[in-house]
Amino acid sequence: MKQNKRSNCNLQGNETNLRDKIVISRKQYQIQRRKRSNKTSEHPHAFQDHFNKLLGGIRFADFPYMSIPTLTSTFVGGEMAIRRAMSGRTAVVGARSMSSWWRSVEPAPKDPILGVTEAFLADPNPDKVNVGVGAYRDDNGKPVVLECVREAERRIAGHLNMEYLPMGGSVKMVEETLKLAYGVNSELIKDKRIAAVQALSGTGACRLFADFQKRFRPDSQIYIPVPTWANHHNIWRDAHVPQKTYHYYHPESRGLDFAAMMDDIKNAPNGSFFLLHACAHNPTGVDPSEEQWREISHEFKVKGHFAFFDMAYQGFASGDPERDAKSIRIFLEDGHYFGIAQSYAKNMGLYGQRVGCLSVLCEDEKQAVAVKSQLQQLARPMYSNPPVHGALIVSTILSDPDLKKVWLKEVKVMADRIIGMRTALRGNLEKLGSPLSWQHITNQIGMFCYSGLTPEQVDRLTNEFHIYMTRNGRISMAGVTTGNVEYLATAIHEVTKSASTC
Ligand code: PLA
């Protein structure tokens, strides 16, 4: 009963009335109290409980730490403020109200990518195949720890103290990371024109940038390609940056819709923010050619747009991190100011270590110092400073030329295995006599194949063949092995053979 009362109460009251009510109520309460004998032992929340009757069931016993002005402004601030206030009260609220705290919380929808992993893990079938999340597997389907990482761990072992890193993370790791994106001999790095901080992998770098964008360009929006990595939408939504989209994929040709993309770039208001995938576009596996990147860069210059590169797969497209940085180098040549999110999840296999970097190219050192300090200030109340272990692994590998060589070789092995699996998957489908064209499997690059399978076909693959992938038809090629490629091809053939196109 009490719970219903609370949830029904109208909190959007008139501020003056409410304040008056509270003040009057306090006076009445004090008078009543004085009348009582000193012997009366009062419940510590008696004063706040007195308010309950006044304000339709809100239990002020829940807010004993609040002064009257705070109480007033909180409750006239609307339901959101109430929720905030209540969520901070976990420790002192009596058990009697606890069941009502989260009554209005509905289960969140399943994540379209990580939800697939959950469903896969719950399936007891021994033949199940997971080509959902983009996590690299060896040809036996096992997760891989790179040899360079193992060696770095051996070197670190016993030498690591557990002190906090600075708010901006490991300076050494950040420096090495910038070299990968901007070039080993970049003048910009030497001139200290890049504001850069260690980030919680690629996701954290994107989010930090989105928050930075909101804080310093509060009226801006972000242009996001169609389609894109699903989490991009969540990231900019939660940073309260309005989203627009731009054309990217052309379903009929299974390639880039370059003309429509260029139109969208031209038609966007001057000085717009654009999210670009630096290489190995997720989910389509379709990247602009070098020539197209040059045209994009030129148009960005004309329009004064800001490019934010998400570079989650450097090395995974071609097998060479240098080549995969081509888009960025083209923008550098053209003198842009841009931002980059970098991640070591995929190219160093450090998924769970959450190590990455956010960088923002600035006009001069002074500006870079200011921007970096603001990025740190954004990080401080969120997670204070980033974790140390993954950063140390990265800096150990990249600052030792021999170990770096081992890494480069291993990246190439991973990319090549994926390229080999593309050929095998296409070959198997053709061998089965599929009437459809599967050329796009080998044309696309990076971790994913945007197969063209419909959500219904994907559902059949899951329900009938225990093959798990995202419902947009994205296949993580990193999960395909010589052991399961035939099974995968047979199942795909089975669900597509009567379709005119896939
Ligand atoms: N940006 C893009 C384009 C990505 O595809 C991913 C990961 C990230 C950023 C973030 O990676 P990180 O935070 O781990 O560095 N995408 C994965 C995993 C591999 C995921 O969804 O989180 C995917 O399966 O799409």
Side-chain angles (χ1 to χ4, degrees):
M1 292 272 284
K2 203 173 233 176
Q3 290 162 356
N4 286 340
K5 232 179 169 184
R6 184 199 287 180
S7 56
N8 289 341
C9 87
N10 176 14
L11 302 169
Q12 314 282 339
N14 171 303
E15 182 167 357
T16 321
N17 282 348
L18 202 50
R19 182 179 287 120
D20 288 345
K21 269 183 175 179
I22 292 171
V23 173
I24 292 163
S25 173
R26 178 181 242 182
K27 279 186 186 145
Q28 285 170 347
Y29 169 77
Q30 281 165 348
I31 294 162
Q32 280 171 15
R33 191 175 173 183
R34 257 181 252 121
K35 280 184 193 161
R36 283 184 206 146
S37 110
N38 283 344
K39 282 175 275 170
T40 316
S41 75
E42 294 242 310
H43 186 276
H45 297 319
F47 167 59
Q48 289 89 349
D49 285 342
H50 181 69
F51 281 4
N52 297 351
K53 294 177 194 106
L54 267 171
L55 289 166
I58 300 168
R59 291 188 333 99
F60 285 97
D62 290 350
F63 308 96
Y65 61 103
M66 283 189 184
S67 65
I68 282 183
T70 316
L71 269 172
T72 313
S73 63
T74 297
F75 288 100
V76 297
E79 244 177 284
M80 286 309 289
I82 288 254
R83 292 206 185 112
R84 273 200 300 278
M86 291 176 94
S87 63
R89 286 280 301 112
T90 322
V92 271
V93 176
R96 63 204 151 106
S97 70
M98 288 176 91
S99 61
S100 64
W101 281 8
W102 315 119
R103 269 188 129 213
S104 60
V105 179
E106 301 285 342
K110 279 222 182 298
D111 185 88
I113 298 172
L114 301 184
V116 173
T117 308
E118 285 174 26
F120 169 80
L121 291 173
D123 185 344
N125 190 294
D127 298 326
K128 64 184 179 178
V129 174
N130 188 5
V131 285
V133 71
Y136 184 78
R137 300 284 177 260
D138 67 13
D139 205 36
N140 297 313
K142 296 273 175 294
V144 173
V145 179
L146 299 186
E147 191 39 53
C148 61
V149 170
R150 287 284 186 231
E151 175 56 25
E153 282 196 315
R154 280 192 282 274
R155 292 185 193 178
I156 295 163
H159 298 290
L160 172 67
N161 68 43
M162 304 289 163
E163 292 295 293
Y164 292 127
L165 281 176
M167 282 180 282
S170 156
V171 173
K172 207 167 154 194
M173 188 283 287
V174 166
E175 210 178 286
E176 293 298 335
T177 306
L178 294 182
K179 287 186 202 163
L180 286 180
Y182 296 79
V184 190
N185 298 314
S186 166
E187 289 298 321
L188 300 165
I189 301 176
K190 284 182 203 136
D191 294 345
K192 299 186 173 27
R193 278 182 51 198
I194 307 168
V197 293
Q198 183 181 328
L200 303 184
S201 213
T203 309
C206 287
R207 179 60 195 268
L208 202 55
F209 179 78
D211 284 342
F212 178 74
Q213 182 187 344
K214 182 67 193 174
R215 183 164 288 181
F216 292 98
R217 291 286 180 159
D219 298 325
S220 66
Q221 31 192 18
I222 184 91
Y223 281 80
I224 290 181
V226 180
T228 194
W229 177 48
N231 210 23
H232 282 145
H233 295 293
N234 305 331
I235 290 170
W236 269 268
R237 177 203 63 210
D238 280 8
H240 305 287
V241 176
Q243 296 173 37
K244 294 267 178 179
T245 55
Y246 66 89
H247 284 87
Y248 190 83
Y249 185 69
H250 189 252
E252 286 76 40
S253 67
R254 301 193 193 289
L256 183 65
D257 196 345
F258 187 61
M261 177 182 179
M262 289 303 282
D263 278 349
D264 289 343
I265 293 169
K266 283 177 194 159
N267 293 332
N270 290 351
S272 293
F273 285 78
F274 274 74
L275 172 76
L276 299 166
H277 295 229
C279 63
H281 182 275
N282 176 11
T284 66
V286 171
D287 284 350
S289 67
E290 197 176 318
E291 197 42 51
Q292 287 169 331
W293 274 122
R294 288 191 193 284
E295 284 187 51
I296 294 166
S297 170
H298 173 77
E299 201 52 44
F300 267 56
K301 200 81 198 193
V302 172
K303 295 285 299 182
H305 291 330
F306 185 95
F308 183 70
F309 288 99
D310 184 357
M311 187 155 63
Y313 299 94
Q314 188 176 10
F316 256 81
S318 67
D320 174 7
E322 265 305 290
R323 264 179 75 182
D324 287 359
K326 195 70 205 170
S327 54
I328 290 181
R329 305 295 167 75
I330 289 170
F331 270 65
L332 277 176
E333 277 169 32
D334 287 350
H336 287 278
Y337 300 108
F338 53 77
I340 313 179
Q342 289 172 262
S343 164
Y344 287 105
K346 271 69 72 176
N347 59 12
M348 237 177 236
L350 294 176
Y351 303 90
Q353 292 291 346
R354 314 307 296 145
V355 48
C357 177
L358 168 64
S359 60
V360 179
L361 177 52
C362 298
E363 280 167 6
D364 53 30
E365 184 180 350
K366 187 166 164 251
Q367 193 180 84
V369 168
V371 170
K372 183 177 173 184
S373 73
Q374 293 292 349
L375 294 175
Q376 291 181 160
Q377 202 182 66
L378 281 164
R380 173 68 169 145
M382 276 200 282
Y383 54 85
S384 192
N385 42 69
V388 66
H389 188 71
L392 209 61
I393 292 174
V394 172
S395 60
T396 304
I397 293 170
L398 296 182
S399 60
D400 177 324
D402 291 333
L403 217 45
K404 188 174 172 184
K405 265 191 214 147
V406 176
W407 173 59
L408 290 172
K409 259 195 187 156
E410 294 189 283
V411 177
K412 179 99 176 71
V413 168
M414 290 192 284
D416 284 351
R417 196 188 81 71
I418 290 176
I419 292 166
M421 284 303 116
R422 286 183 184 281
T423 311
L425 182 60
R426 180 180 163 186
N428 271 286
L429 279 159
E430 288 168 355
K431 211 166 68 191
L432 287 162
S434 173
L436 306 168
S437 164
W438 296 101
Q439 209 180 334
H440 55 287
I441 300 180
T442 46
N443 286 350
Q444 295 167 355
I445 52 168
M447 207 163 212
F448 302 107
C449 161
Y450 204 46
S451 65
L453 290 163
T454 64
E456 294 71 31
Q457 290 166 340
V458 172
D459 289 345
R460 277 193 66 197
L461 286 177
T462 304
N463 298 334
E464 296 171 31
F465 299 93
H466 304 271
I467 292 168
Y468 290 81
M469 66 174 77
T470 53
R471 288 189 85 231
N472 60 0
R474 186 189 83 165
I475 300 171
S476 170
M477 293 306 299
V480 184
T481 65
T482 42
N484 66 24
V485 67
E486 216 177 309
Y487 178 68
L488 181 62
T490 309
I492 292 175
H493 179 53
E494 202 55 44
V495 303
T496 56
K497 62 185 178 194
S498 56
S500 55
T501 175
C502 104

